[in-house]
Amino acid sequence: MLLELSGLAAGYGPKTVVSGVSFALEPGQILAFLGHNGAGKTTTLRSIMGLLPLRAGEVRFDGQVLQRMSVADRVAMGLRLLPEGRGIFPDLSVAENIDVVAARNIGADAMFRVPDVYKLFPVLAERPGIRAGSLSGGQQQMLAMSLAILGKPRCLLLDEPSIGLAPNLVERMFQQVREVCKSHAMTAVLVEQNVAAAMKIADRVIIMNNGQIVFDGLPDEARASNFWHYF
Ligand code: ATP
């Protein structure tokens, strides 16, 4: 297993907002991590990344316990969080964003090179000189995703990547996420409000409600159950 959570609990101030969260993912597996607003999905991702301390439980990555590791150490191990609506340098151009990250990351073992990224998201190739901050929300997400994959992630935590993306682009972007996961054994945890699109690419579905897991199974099992009442 690459990413293993057991009995994770986390919260803010006096309030514990998620508890008993347990799952384990293999390399290349895609988890759709779903639930209504405030269910605790972002809190779980932030805890995995080390941005929020655990109140109970354990997170392991590649067999190593993460609790005492800094965020930087987790990044070095291959964990990446793509936070909702962030993750780019807004004042640099598209090409500068890509070049800065590529210069830092590309080695012999690179998953992707700069031309691969432009091939994956051709819309970025059309406007390399534009200020990243002036791209549409969806294009900023594509740029953020490009920067993340240039860094050779082994596990990508995606927080609502479809926000700001035109509906016809969502499926395309998600198919690309799936392709990257399957061709490079990259694991993904996909937090998404676009439940149908997320379930199409997922290998497994977890639904959170009030800070706890209320469903864990295959996409077909989720479709066959009455899971929609959690949204
Ligand atoms: P959303 O889609 O709205 O982000 P979510 O499932 O990701 O939903 P979280 O953002 O994890 O949910 O929020 C879980 C609970 O924690 C909510 O009740 C929220 O109000 C609370 N919460 C989130 N961030 C903070 C914070 N910084 N301080 C205090 N409470 C917070």
Side-chain angles (χ1 to χ4, degrees):
M1 290 296 170
L2 184 65
L3 177 67
E4 293 175 79
L5 273 59
S6 47
L8 180 147
Y12 308 91
K15 214 169 138 205
T16 296
V17 299
V18 296
S19 60
V21 177
S22 302
F23 60 79
L25 298 173
E26 293 168 1
Q29 227 182 346
I30 302 173
L31 171 68
F33 195 53
L34 310 174
H36 61 72
N37 284 347
K41 308 175 301 288
T42 299
T43 301
T44 304
L45 296 192
R46 289 171 51 85
S47 311
I48 296 171
M49 203 60 223
L51 298 166
L52 200 60
L54 296 193
R55 294 192 170 176
E58 190 174 82
V59 181
R60 283 176 183 264
F61 189 69
D62 205 9
Q64 293 199 51
V65 176
L66 291 187
Q67 270 91 306
R68 288 200 188 81
M69 287 192 193
S70 65
V71 175
D73 286 343
R74 297 177 205 218
V75 169
M77 289 179 77
L79 251 184
R80 293 283 186 294
L81 171 65
L82 229 71
E84 198 180 317
R86 272 169 288 144
I88 60 168
F89 305 107
D91 293 324
L92 299 185
S93 72
V94 168
E96 285 166 343
N97 265 272
I98 289 174
D99 290 345
V100 161
V101 174
R104 225 177 35 204
N105 287 293
I106 287 187
D109 58 342
M111 280 165 67
F112 288 96
R113 298 182 179 277
V114 173
D116 302 324
V117 161
Y118 284 123
K119 217 183 289 167
L120 211 52
F121 300 115
V123 68
L124 300 177
E126 287 165 17
R127 40 186 59 198
I130 198 171
R131 208 180 132 264
S134 59
L135 292 172
S136 73
Q139 290 162 350
Q140 290 192 25
Q141 289 287 12
M142 291 184 200
L143 181 58
M145 184 88 77
S146 305
L147 303 187
I149 61 177
L150 280 170
K152 288 176 287 181
R154 299 169 69 200
C155 178
L156 205 52
L157 310 173
L158 298 159
D159 201 351
E160 307 210 9
S162 80
I163 280 189
L165 217 59
N168 60 331
L169 289 180
V170 174
E171 274 198 24
R172 181 144 173 257
M173 189 202 212
F174 280 16
Q175 281 308 330
Q176 278 154 339
V177 169
R178 186 169 170 91
E179 214 175 289
V180 173
C181 287
K182 298 304 166 188
S183 57
H184 294 84
M186 185 181 82
T187 303
V189 178
L190 175 60
V191 167
E192 230 342 291
Q193 292 300 331
N194 190 333
V195 173
M199 294 224 317
K200 260 193 197 165
I201 62 157
D203 301 304
R204 178 169 166 191
V205 177
I206 287 182
I207 299 171
M208 296 282 288
N209 193 35
N210 290 329
Q212 305 211 320
I213 292 178
V214 291
F215 175 89
D216 182 352
L218 300 172
D220 279 345
E221 293 168 344
R223 286 186 197 99
S225 74
N226 58 350
F227 78 104
W228 287 107
H229 76 254
Y230 291 116
F231 297 96

